[in-house]
């Protein structure tokens, strides 16, 4: 039987987290927040939800891995990732859950609505990442790798295969789910560009490039498995 939880990676968004949690509580879905070494413990303790804690900041990807591990141990089959910065339109939660009710096997992902207010760095960054995602999956179609609003059927093999621990995690885990044969459903999501992001331009772009290179050099193994499966 399927069982879904909200998974919220968190690092220093004290002004928004209560608003977000109150909104999520209205869905009567279990909430798991992963505190990735934040400095506002008092704010979190007052939320009245499950909180997992890292003693120091280990990165968004590492926080999500901790959340996935806890969810699996507690019988959850699906995780609805919601980023704590509230950049993404929470009104779309209902749409995600509507699709989930009728499709428990697909990855349900948000993709950004990029209009004239979107920073050029976001637009170009998405195009570059989508290009390398296409290469590293031998033609997989992805609307957006960077939006942290998505529902996963939790697959521990995929999680263990995903080596990334920071912002590049959101990209690599989708590549790995695709390679494992999962299908994707996409929902357009409005983005609040005024929201504070912890994305570090130099460090995280370097880690994203490193992750894409690692995926690229693992392609021969993926090609071999794909040919082998087609011959069976």
């Amino acid at each position: 039987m399927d069982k879904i939880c909200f998974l919220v990676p968190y690092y220093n968004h004290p002004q928004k987290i209560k608003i977000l949690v109150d909104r999520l509580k209205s869905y009567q879905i279990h909430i798991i927040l992963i505190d990735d070494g934040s400095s506002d413990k008092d704010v979190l303790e007052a939320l009245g939800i499950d909180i997992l804690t890292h003693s120091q900041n280990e990165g968004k990807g590492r926080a999500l891995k901790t959340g996935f591990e806890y969810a699996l141990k507690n019988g959850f089959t699906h995780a609805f990732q919601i980023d704590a910065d509230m950049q993404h339109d929470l009104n779309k939660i209902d749409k995600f859950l509507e699709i989930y009710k009728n499709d428990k096997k697909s990855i349900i992902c948000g993709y950004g609505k990029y209009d004239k207010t979107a920073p050029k760095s976001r637009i170009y960054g998405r195009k570059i990442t989508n290009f390398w995602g296409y290469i590293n999956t031998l033609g997989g179609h992805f609307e957006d790798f960077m939006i942290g609003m998505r529902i996963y059927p939790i697959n521990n093999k995929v999680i263990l295969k995903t080596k990334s621990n920071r912002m590049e995690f959101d990209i690599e885990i989708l590549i790995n789910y695709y390679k494992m044969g999962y299908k994707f459903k996409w929902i357009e999501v409005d983005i609040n560009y005024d929201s504070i992001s912890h994305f570090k331009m130099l460090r995280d772009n370097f880690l994203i490039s490193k992750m894409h290179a690692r995926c690229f050099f693992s392609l021969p193994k993926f090609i071999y498995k794909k040919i082998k499966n087609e011959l069976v």
Side-chain angles (χ1 to χ4, degrees), residues 1-122:
M1 184 176 179
D2 61 277
K3 184 181 179 184
I4 191 169
C5 63
F6 284 118
L7 214 56
V8 183
Y10 178 84
Y11 180 66
N12 289 344
H13 288 286
Q15 293 81 17
K16 294 187 175 182
I17 192 59
K18 187 177 186 306
I19 299 170
L20 173 62
V21 168
D22 284 347
R23 180 67 176 273
L24 298 184
K25 282 182 177 179
S26 69
Y27 289 93
Q28 303 296 310
I29 292 174
H30 195 85
I31 305 168
I32 302 169
L33 182 145
I34 309 93
D35 169 19
D36 191 30
S38 63
S39 57
D40 48 357
K41 308 296 184 187
D42 292 343
V43 174
L44 300 181
E45 289 173 0
L47 295 175
I49 59 173
D50 268 1
I51 297 177
L52 313 178
T53 303
H54 290 171
S55 59
Q56 61 185 15
N57 182 259
E58 299 181 36
K60 179 183 180 182
R62 191 69 195 87
L64 284 166
K65 289 177 182 178
T66 296
F68 282 127
E69 181 181 1
Y70 181 86
L72 280 172
K73 286 181 178 178
N74 286 273
F76 292 98
T77 59
H78 292 73
F80 191 161
Q81 177 187 335
I82 302 280
D83 285 355
D85 55 18
M86 288 183 65
Q87 281 193 337
H88 309 129
D89 182 9
L90 299 182
N91 291 320
K92 293 298 177 74
I93 291 176
D94 294 286
K95 182 65 175 176
F96 276 82
L97 292 174
E98 179 185 337
I99 295 176
Y100 160 75
K101 287 178 182 178
N102 296 300
D103 186 352
K104 303 296 193 299
K105 295 182 179 180
S106 296
I107 313 296
I108 307 167
C109 291
Y111 68 95
K113 183 178 180 180
Y114 291 85
D115 55 21
K116 293 180 180 180
T117 66
K120 296 297 183 185
S121 59
R122 294 284 187 99

